[in-house]
Amino acid sequence: GAVVSQHPSWVICKSGTSVKIECRSLDFQATTMFWYRQFPKQSLMLMATSNEGSKATYEQGVEKDKFLINHASLTLSTLTVTSAHPEDSSFYICSARSLSTDTQYFGPGTRLTVL
Amino acid sequence: KQEVTQIPAALSVPEGENLVLNCSFTDSAIYNLQWFRQDPGKGLTSLLLIQSSQREQTSGRLNASLDKSSGRSTLYIAASQPGDSATYLCAASFSGGYNKLIFGAGTRLAVHP
């Protein structure tokens, strides 16, 4: 089956530093990847849609200069949280849409804790 | 505004019970609807995907239905087991934005022995 990986699975950083999270589709190509954020005991909220070779589309209220998204290949998208603050602490989940099945497959998530 | 709502927010049942989780959505122009399972601190496991042209899907003890006219979907779990304890999320995508999944807040299910 289609597998999506995320790295790292968890990260702890100091306030003011930047953190990069990778999302990879391991056995399929994905022109579109999605980044979600999930706060404790809440549901997933779409942050942005990442399209290979073009700029990401951000949802209302998501700062594009704070959450930098790069989708340089058909199997890799990265999310960089710049100048992270404690309120950015959350569970970040990516998904990738398979070209062949038109289905989104989800990664295992990355737990970000900003001290 | 397209919204997805799930009730109840939490459910606790004894092992062996059949149960129903509810999901409602505000836009009848639905493209598809998915049910996911999420264990604490983990990612999502896709359970069932129902296309707009379908009325239900079944996988093992799980059955999901879709009623576009009423804007509702239900997830039926037969003969519940403690291993079914998790949060169940429904997510819908709508025509015109079919890539975008809108999630409900989830139902936290606890099945006790």
Side-chain angles (χ1 to χ4, degrees):
Chain A
V3 178
V4 175
S5 70
Q6 282 185 240
H7 179 80
S9 56
W10 60 270
V11 57
I12 301 173
C13 69
K14 292 182 179 180
S15 184
T17 61
S18 294
V19 175
K20 180 185 285 188
I21 303 170
E22 293 186 348
C23 176
R24 293 181 184 273
S25 56
L26 298 185
D27 49 4
F28 66 98
Q29 292 184 330
T31 55
T32 306
M33 291 185 173
F34 305 87
W35 288 96
Y36 296 84
R37 180 168 52 184
Q38 184 179 35
F39 291 108
K41 296 189 177 180
Q42 295 186 29
S43 193
L44 279 74
M45 297 297 294
L46 180 65
M47 298 174 66
T49 302
S50 168
N51 296 297
E52 187 265 336
S54 63
K55 290 183 179 180
T57 303
Y58 290 82
E59 295 298 304
Q60 192 173 13
V62 178
E63 300 175 56
K64 62 180 182 180
D65 293 330
K66 182 170 183 62
F67 298 99
L68 301 179
I69 292 173
N70 182 276
H71 193 160
S73 77
L74 288 173
T75 59
L76 174 65
S77 176
T78 60
L79 168 69
T80 301
V81 183
T82 62
S83 186
H85 290 283
E87 58 265 30
D88 298 323
S89 299
S90 187
F91 194 52
Y92 292 85
I93 302 178
C94 74
S95 70
R97 185 172 73 88
S98 167
L99 283 173
S100 58
T101 66
D102 197 26
T103 299
Q104 283 190 44
Y105 299 95
F106 284 79
T110 296
R111 172 78 55 194
L112 170 64
T113 301
V114 185
L115 303 176
Chain B
K1 182 181 176 183
Q2 294 165 336
E3 293 182 342
V4 176
T5 305
Q6 289 186 249
I7 54 172
L11 186 61
S12 180
V13 300
E15 181 177 9
E17 275 203 8
N18 301 324
L19 50 98
V20 175
L21 308 182
N22 297 292
C23 174
S24 61
F25 45 92
T26 55
D27 189 343
S28 62
I30 190 168
Y31 184 74
N32 63 38
L33 186 138
Q34 285 186 257
W35 283 92
F36 296 88
R37 169 184 172 139
Q38 186 177 32
D39 292 290
K42 303 294 185 182
L44 304 181
T45 299
S46 180
L47 299 174
L48 291 165
L49 167 66
I50 311 176
Q51 300 290 351
S52 62
S53 58
Q54 299 172 322
R55 292 191 64 84
E56 65 177 343
Q57 284 283 345
T58 298
S59 176
R61 294 183 294 108
L62 306 179
N63 175 277
S65 67
L66 176 65
D67 185 339
K68 291 189 296 182
S69 61
S70 65
R72 298 165 81 173
S73 175
T74 60
L75 178 67
Y76 177 82
I77 303 177
S80 58
Q81 303 170 356
D84 294 330
S85 299
T87 295
Y88 291 81
L89 298 165
C90 76
S93 62
F94 298 94
S95 302
Y98 75 98
N99 273 329
K100 179 177 174 179
L101 281 176
I102 298 175
F103 281 82
T107 294
R108 292 190 307 280
L109 173 65
V111 181
H112 48 87

